[in-house]
């Protein structure tokens, strides 16, 4: 089978991107840039359009004019068209559609007290809009034939993003979130799998159907269902039913979770923990987290730790299902069963991308991308504070006067060192001083001086900032492509028992995890 | 399923028959393991690029 299509489409996209880069760079789109508040994105718009426009033009010409024969070159280079198609749609959404929706929403004015606009309330940002546009394209217009093959690259983008996410965690964050996630995920994964198997047995669905559905609903969605399928000897239609159920439920959750999170006033850690536990499919966890907080990745980081923790449960669940299936079928009198090799199952099913995430975290922990003690990409360094950023005489006088209000010895000592040195002297002092500001013990000018001093000794690591940009685009790419794979036909396949059982357990998991998160998870890392 | 590592499933199987003779409807790769390894290579390439071209 030859995958590459002889079409001018990719060449045309390449020319459009190159023209876009030229127009943005030379200010011909200045009026649009100003209206949509895109000034900060101009550099990115110029560079990305130039790079990917060039790639699209070169590969596009090859697609259009070369003679294609079946083989690896045709298979892998043929997928570039679909990949660029996803990226092109993601660029339109991120640079134009999302800012336009936000602008129109602001022009309409706040819809609820507290200056919340329509796009805030419904979480209409580039993630949600990208997925929706992807779904509209596939279900209304159909994916163009020349792009269909490469649209299957979207999950690769998501996995690459998850691995790179490892660079952004500090040891302190990972230890805290890791403990929290293992307990929560352990309870909910094992509980969900058990519940699906129990209900499945009561409703007399085939063991293979129950097994594959329990993995999909309990662990991490589509990948888990596919991984568990061989050990429970699931048929293709049973896998399709499970995937349909996960997609239906996952799509609803992806749009509903952020709205509920905002309405309940959840913080980043709380929402991340809830999404990472309650949403069935890994891809949709990232979608919900970015939809909840589109202009930062704190929520995504928390959600992905929970997601990765449950992915780590996959080999255990596959093993459990293998043993369970053999036992159930033997009881039913089956004779053609394969013996379960525990070690082989664990090795075969262990998700390598999780190892990649851990490897990237360990690499980052050596300090190669940012000082090892960085926290959320910012690190402490008070050695090169410029004169203008040191506290001035007026600020020192204010702090001396206000220091009498402090009662605690550690706070007095930290403030004393700040006054003596005109700058913050350690991370411990910084923490104590931030506590003083949070408690609002001192007057406004004194708090402003402390905030200024703290700002002067914390720096953003350039490489970490670059990783954040990469992540934004990898997830935009992956999630827009995910939208293009959510077909009405696929969701229809979920009908009947699997949808009833999967939805019942999914709702229970979402509601119970919400209660646990709201009651037990604190908004601190 | 003949190959235990295969993702030989297609959501549109019942409507259109199999569309791809390699990979699945969700991925161009033969197995999750292969996709993971390619993702790892991509991530390492990006990390190396960031390290070499951005620097601290």
């Amino acid at each position: 089978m030859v995958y590459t299509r002889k079409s001018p489409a990719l060449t045309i996209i390449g020319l459009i991107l190159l023209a876009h880069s030229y127009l943005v760079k030379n200010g011909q789109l200045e009026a649009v840039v100003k209206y949509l508040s895109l000034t900060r994105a101009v550099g990115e718009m110029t560079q990305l359009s130039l790079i990917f426009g060039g790639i699209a033009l070169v590969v596009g010409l090859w697609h259009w004019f070369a003679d294609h024969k079946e083989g690896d070159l045709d298979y892998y280079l043929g997928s570039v068209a679909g990949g660029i198609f996803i990226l092109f749609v993601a660029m339109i959404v991120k640079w134009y559609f999302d800012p336009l929706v936000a602008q129109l929403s602001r022009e309409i004015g706040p819809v609820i007290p507290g200056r919340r606009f329509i796009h805030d309330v419904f979480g209409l940002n580039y993630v949600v809009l990208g997925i929706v546009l992807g779904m509209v394209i596939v279900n209304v217009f159909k994916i163009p034939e020349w792009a269909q093959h490469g649209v299957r690259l979207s999950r690769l983008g998501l996995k690459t993003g998850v691995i790179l996410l490892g660079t952004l965690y500090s040891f302190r964050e990972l230890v805290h979130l890791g403990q929290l996630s293992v307990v929560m995920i352990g309870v909910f994964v094992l509980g969900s799998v058990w519940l699906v198997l129990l209900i499945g047995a009561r409703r007399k669905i085939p063991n293979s159907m129950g097994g594959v559905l329990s993995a999909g609903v309990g662990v991490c969605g589509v990948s888990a269902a596919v991984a568990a399928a061989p050990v429970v000897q699931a048929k293709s239609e049973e896998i399709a039913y499970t995937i349909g159920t996960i997609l239906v439920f996952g799509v609803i959750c992806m749009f509903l979770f952020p709205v509920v999170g905002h309405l309940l006033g959840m913080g980043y850690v709380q929402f991340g923990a809830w999404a990472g536990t309650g949403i069935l499919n890994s891809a949709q966890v990232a979608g919900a987290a970015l939809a909840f907080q589109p202009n930062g990745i704190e929520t995504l980081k928390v959600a992905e730790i929970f997601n990765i923790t449950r992915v780590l449960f996959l080999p255990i669940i596959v093993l459990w299902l293998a043993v369970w299936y053999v036992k159930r079928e033997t009881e039913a009198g089956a004779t053609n069963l394969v013996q379960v090799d525990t070690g082989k199952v664990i090795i075969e099913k262990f998700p390598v991308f999780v190892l990649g995430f851990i490897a990237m975290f360990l690499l980052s922990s050596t300090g190669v991308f940012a000082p090892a003690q960085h926290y959320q990409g910012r690190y402490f360094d008070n050695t090169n504070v410029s004169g203008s950023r040191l506290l001035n005489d007026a600020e020192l006088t204010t702090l001396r006067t206000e220091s009498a209000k402090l009662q605690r010895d550690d706070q007095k000592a930290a403030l004393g060192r700040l006054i003596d040195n005109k700058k913050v002297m350690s991370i411990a002092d910084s923490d104590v001083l931030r506590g003083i500001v949070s408690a609002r013990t001192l007057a406004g000018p004194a708090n402003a001086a402390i905030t200024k001093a703290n700002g002067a000794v914390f720096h953003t690591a350039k490489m970490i900032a670059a990783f954040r940009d990469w992540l934004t685009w990898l997830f935009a790419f992956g999630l827009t492509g995910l939208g293009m794979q959510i077909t009405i036909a696929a969701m229809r396949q979920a009908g009947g028992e699997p949808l009833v059982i999967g939805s019942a357990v999914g709702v229970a998991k979402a509601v119970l995890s919400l209660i646990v998160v709201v009651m037990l998870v604190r908004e601190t890392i | 399923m003949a190959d235990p590592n295969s993702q030989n499933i297609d959501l549109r199987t019942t409507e259109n028959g199999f569309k791809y003779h390699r990979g699945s409807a969700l991925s161009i790769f033969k197995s999750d393991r292969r996709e993971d390894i390619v993702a790892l290579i991509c991530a390492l390439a990006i990390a190396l690029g960031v390290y070499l071209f951005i620097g601290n």
Side-chain angles (χ1 to χ4, degrees):
Chain A
M1 181 174 175
V2 175
Y3 284 86
T4 310
R5 296 285 175 268
K6 272 186 168 294
S7 162
L10 187 57
T11 308
I12 293 169
I13 290 179
L15 290 172
I16 292 171
L17 288 175
L18 290 174
H20 179 257
S21 174
Y22 176 82
L23 293 173
V24 173
K25 191 178 181 188
N26 290 287
Q28 264 116 342
L29 294 178
E30 201 177 334
V32 179
V33 167
K34 232 175 192 173
Y35 176 68
L36 298 177
S37 311
L38 293 170
T39 313
R40 286 178 65 187
V42 163
E44 180 183 78
M45 289 163 78
T46 308
Q47 287 172 12
L48 288 184
S49 297
L50 182 66
I51 293 167
F52 288 100
I55 293 171
L57 184 62
V58 173
V59 181
L61 288 170
W62 179 79
H63 279 199
W64 195 5
F65 293 110
D67 285 326
H68 306 295
K69 290 177 188 151
E70 189 173 327
D72 285 345
L73 185 69
D74 161 66
Y75 188 73
Y76 291 110
L77 215 51
S79 70
V80 173
I84 294 284
F85 178 67
I86 299 175
L87 188 63
F88 187 58
V89 174
M91 284 173 168
I92 291 171
V93 169
K94 190 162 187 303
W95 290 335
Y96 294 104
F97 196 29
D98 173 25
L100 180 65
V101 168
Q103 180 66 25
L104 293 175
S105 166
R106 279 191 290 268
E107 283 174 13
I108 291 169
V111 287
I112 56 170
R115 292 193 58 77
R116 299 289 297 280
F117 300 100
I118 290 175
H119 72 288
D120 291 326
V121 175
F122 291 102
L124 299 178
N125 50 58
Y126 72 96
V127 177
V128 172
L129 295 172
I131 295 166
V132 170
L133 192 58
M135 289 171 69
V136 170
I137 289 171
V138 71
N139 290 296
V140 179
F141 303 104
K142 304 295 172 200
I143 307 284
E145 201 191 345
W146 51 268
Q148 285 182 4
H149 167 45
V151 163
R152 300 182 297 159
L153 284 170
S154 61
R155 203 169 67 176
L156 177 69
L158 288 176
K159 283 186 176 175
T160 307
V162 172
I163 294 172
L164 274 182
L165 205 56
T167 59
L168 304 192
Y169 290 89
S170 63
F171 196 72
R172 188 171 142 205
E173 283 174 285
L174 210 60
V175 167
H176 178 85
L177 289 174
Q179 289 168 344
L180 184 66
S181 65
V182 166
V183 175
M184 273 193 67
I185 293 294
V187 171
F188 281 100
V189 164
L190 299 175
S192 309
V193 172
W194 173 78
L195 200 55
V196 172
L197 294 179
L198 183 75
I199 299 175
R202 291 270 165 89
R203 296 182 77 98
K204 295 189 169 49
I205 62 172
N207 291 328
S208 51
M209 179 76 251
V212 80
L213 184 66
S214 68
V217 172
V219 192
C220 54
V222 175
S223 296
V226 173
V231 299
V232 294
Q233 298 180 342
K235 300 177 191 74
S236 288
E237 61 266 28
E238 290 173 338
I239 304 171
Y241 281 140
T242 300
I243 292 173
T245 302
I246 290 163
L247 284 181
V248 171
F249 197 77
V251 169
I252 293 169
C253 285
M254 187 169 61
F255 294 116
L256 201 60
F257 268 48
V259 176
V260 174
H262 284 302
L263 289 175
L264 293 180
M266 294 173 85
Y268 299 149
V269 176
Q270 285 184 320
F271 186 83
W274 183 39
T277 310
I279 293 180
L280 304 184
N281 199 19
S282 292
Q284 283 137 2
V285 170
L290 284 167
F292 182 76
Q293 190 201 4
N295 300 319
I297 57 161
E298 285 72 20
T299 309
L300 177 68
K301 285 169 67 181
V302 177
E304 280 301 334
I305 274 295
F306 278 72
N307 188 36
I308 282 169
T309 307
R310 69 184 185 178
V311 172
L312 285 170
F313 273 83
L314 183 56
I316 300 168
I317 298 301
V318 170
L319 194 63
W320 174 13
L321 289 174
V323 175
W324 169 85
Y325 181 73
V326 170
K327 187 165 171 273
R328 294 273 302 177
E329 292 290 302
T330 310
E331 284 168 2
T335 53
N336 59 338
L337 297 172
V338 181
Q339 280 301 310
V340 180
D341 182 337
T342 309
K344 198 174 165 207
V345 168
I346 289 177
I347 291 168
E348 275 184 357
K349 302 302 170 194
F350 195 87
V352 171
F353 82 97
V354 173
L355 285 182
F357 170 88
I358 294 166
M360 210 53 91
F361 163 70
L362 292 175
L363 191 63
S364 184
S365 301
T366 64
V368 70
F369 301 127
Q373 35 82 359
H374 82 86
Y375 180 71
Q376 298 186 343
R378 288 172 66 78
Y379 63 92
F380 179 88
D381 181 3
N382 71 347
T383 52
N384 291 314
V385 180
S386 62
S388 64
R389 304 197 75 186
L390 292 172
L391 292 180
N392 59 38
D393 291 341
E395 288 162 336
L396 292 170
T397 306
T398 305
L399 288 176
R400 279 193 196 100
T401 312
E402 290 287 312
S403 62
K405 293 181 181 174
L406 295 175
Q407 303 292 321
R408 280 168 46 182
D409 289 340
D410 60 334
Q411 292 183 337
K412 285 180 190 169
L415 192 62
R417 282 190 287 274
L418 173 63
I419 292 168
D420 291 344
N421 297 284
K422 300 182 183 176
K423 61 183 178 182
V424 180
M425 295 307 290
S426 67
I427 295 178
D429 276 2
S430 169
D431 288 342
V432 174
L433 291 167
R434 272 191 302 187
I436 295 173
V437 173
S438 299
R440 300 187 183 189
T441 314
L442 309 183
N447 284 337
I450 293 174
T451 304
K452 173 191 164 186
N454 254 331
V457 293
F458 280 95
H459 311 272
T460 301
K462 283 182 191 168
M463 285 195 274
I464 297 291
F467 282 127
R468 283 173 190 261
D469 291 341
W470 269 101
L471 281 169
T472 301
W473 279 103
L474 284 166
F475 282 109
F477 172 87
L479 293 166
T480 304
L482 177 81
M484 293 181 189
Q485 294 181 330
I486 301 174
T487 63
I488 301 290
M491 290 198 281
R492 273 199 195 125
Q493 291 192 33
E497 286 291 304
L499 186 59
V500 172
I501 297 171
S503 299
V505 176
V507 169
K509 191 175 173 183
V511 173
L512 287 173
S513 58
L514 175 63
I515 293 168
V516 171
V517 161
V518 170
M519 287 178 68
L520 298 180
V521 177
R522 294 285 168 267
E523 197 52 35
T524 53
I525 296 175
Chain B
M1 300 172 77
D3 177 358
N5 289 320
S6 170
Q7 294 182 323
N8 193 17
I9 53 162
D10 194 314
L11 300 179
R12 286 159 280 194
T13 301
T14 52
E15 289 192 344
N16 304 327
F18 284 106
K19 287 186 79 166
Y20 311 105
H21 79 287
R22 288 163 77 168
S24 70
L26 301 173
S27 171
I28 68 167
F29 299 100
K30 185 181 160 191
S31 65
D32 262 6
R33 176 69 41 103
R34 187 167 293 188
E35 189 175 60
D36 287 1
I37 290 168
V38 175
L40 182 58
I41 293 167
C42 291
L44 286 171
I46 292 169
L48 185 65
V50 167
Y51 180 75
L52 292 176
F53 294 108
I54 308 287
N56 255 322

